[in-house]
Amino acid sequence: MKIAVSGKGGVGKTTLSALLAQYYADQKLDVLAVDADPSPCLAGALSFPGDLREKLHPIAEMNDLIEERTGAKPGASGGFFTINPRVDDIPERFSVTHRGVRLLEMGSVDFGGGGCICPESAMLKTLFTHLLFRDDEVLIIDMYAGVEHLGRATVDFVDAMIIVVEPTQRSLSTAAQIKTLSKDIGLKRLWLVGNKVRTEEEVKFLEGESPGLPLLGTLPMDLGVLDADRLGEPVYDHVPSLKKATKNIAEKLLEPYPEN
């Protein structure tokens, strides 16, 4: 199963990605978690030790590797490059593992005036499009904020897209944008997850104002999230209310998608 976690900035994409990754790992599934944010935070949310974090090197910043596999220098204009480079060895070679979760950092391919980003984009898209996943394997991609990755169709290969929202109109407006762009690139299994939810009234607000997407579940507002970050502990361990909510979300995600 391949899952992308999207939404506007600050809604809790990384928190949910870390929670789901650790839950599935604890269920003895083979989990590959991917931090696709230019400012990676997933290692911290999963509480990877410092020595393992030092071994992480964003794939998009490995210029020699990209040139070797695609035949083109990153940032170079013109010329030819391989659009389906070999990637099968990358997860094993460049990931680090902690508590059953393998972690990769993709890095950013966005830079002003840097020239063509096609080789980097081809490398990253091929990495997850062509890797085969068994029933006991889960890919979780913590996407960067906003909608640009959908415009580039960089996640059109996932089995499900989770859009994390807060119980606010602005957050749901971004979710509506993501829904439209996701449909344009052929994604059909789209879910909402409400984060920082305080009351049943806010749950009803999300259900009533949803842009035509099923509510997969909600994560309660809990200041323990801030404590976990300050202490360098995984949210999954430190905040029981979120761990319980994650179980419900993760199990529902495996169920058949509701038909409209």
Side-chain angles (χ1 to χ4, degrees):
M1 180 171 59
K2 301 176 182 180
I3 305 165
V5 182
S6 187
K8 70 185 291 291
V11 294
K13 297 183 299 297
T14 298
T15 297
L16 178 61
S17 298
L19 288 167
L20 287 174
Q22 195 59 63
Y23 174 80
Y24 285 130
D26 284 0
Q27 307 313 303
K28 308 305 180 185
L29 299 181
D30 187 352
V31 177
L32 175 60
V34 178
D35 195 334
D37 196 300
S39 299
C41 299
L42 189 53
L46 287 162
S47 196
F48 269 62
D51 60 325
L52 290 180
R53 294 194 212 183
E54 290 177 359
K55 296 178 181 179
L56 280 171
H57 300 286
I59 303 300
E61 297 173 14
M62 295 182 179
N63 292 347
D64 291 341
L65 177 65
I66 293 171
E67 183 178 4
E68 172 197 330
R69 299 300 172 88
T70 67
K73 288 182 178 293
S77 298
F80 297 94
F81 64 91
T82 302
I83 62 173
N84 291 305
R86 177 182 167 234
V87 295
D88 57 296
D89 62 324
I90 286 178
E92 187 66 32
R93 286 181 59 189
F94 299 107
S95 65
V96 294
T97 303
H98 180 59
R99 294 180 58 183
V101 177
R102 286 191 297 156
L103 178 63
L104 269 176
E105 287 184 356
M106 287 173 64
S108 173
V109 293
D110 300 318
F111 46 92
C116 179
I117 61 170
C118 296
E120 296 98 308
S121 296
M123 187 82 167
L124 298 181
K125 185 171 182 178
T126 302
L127 176 58
F128 303 116
T129 302
H130 297 298
L131 287 179
L132 299 178
F133 282 75
R134 304 187 306 267
D135 289 342
D136 63 343
E137 294 178 319
V138 178
L139 170 68
I140 298 174
I141 306 177
D142 180 16
M143 301 303 301
Y144 48 90
V147 298
E148 187 175 356
H149 53 285
L150 294 167
R152 289 182 179 166
T154 53
V155 289
D156 57 355
F157 55 86
V158 298
D159 300 311
M161 168 83 79
I162 297 176
I163 307 170
V164 184
V165 296
E166 296 173 337
T168 66
Q169 289 288 0
R170 283 188 297 172
S171 187
L172 289 171
S173 176
T174 299
Q177 285 183 282
I178 292 173
K179 175 189 175 183
T180 298
L181 291 171
S182 297
K183 296 290 186 180
D184 288 345
I185 63 174
L187 292 181
K188 297 180 179 179
R189 297 188 70 211
L190 304 174
W191 298 92
L192 283 186
V193 167
N195 189 27
K196 306 175 188 177
V197 174
R198 298 170 298 176
T199 64
E200 187 61 32
E201 182 180 358
E202 290 185 339
V203 175
K204 292 179 180 178
F205 169 79
L206 290 172
E207 292 173 336
E209 298 297 322
S210 164
L213 297 175
L215 185 64
L216 184 61
T218 61
L219 298 174
M221 170 71 82
D222 196 315
L223 295 180
V225 174
L226 301 178
D227 294 334
D229 184 63
R230 186 181 71 254
L231 297 170
E233 296 182 1
V235 174
Y236 186 81
D237 295 343
H238 193 78
V239 189
S241 64
L242 294 190
K243 183 175 182 178
K244 180 180 179 181
T246 298
K247 180 178 185 294
N248 295 332
I249 291 170
E251 291 180 351
K252 189 174 180 181
L253 191 58
L254 299 177
E255 297 175 359
Y257 189 75
E259 298 294 335
N260 293 330

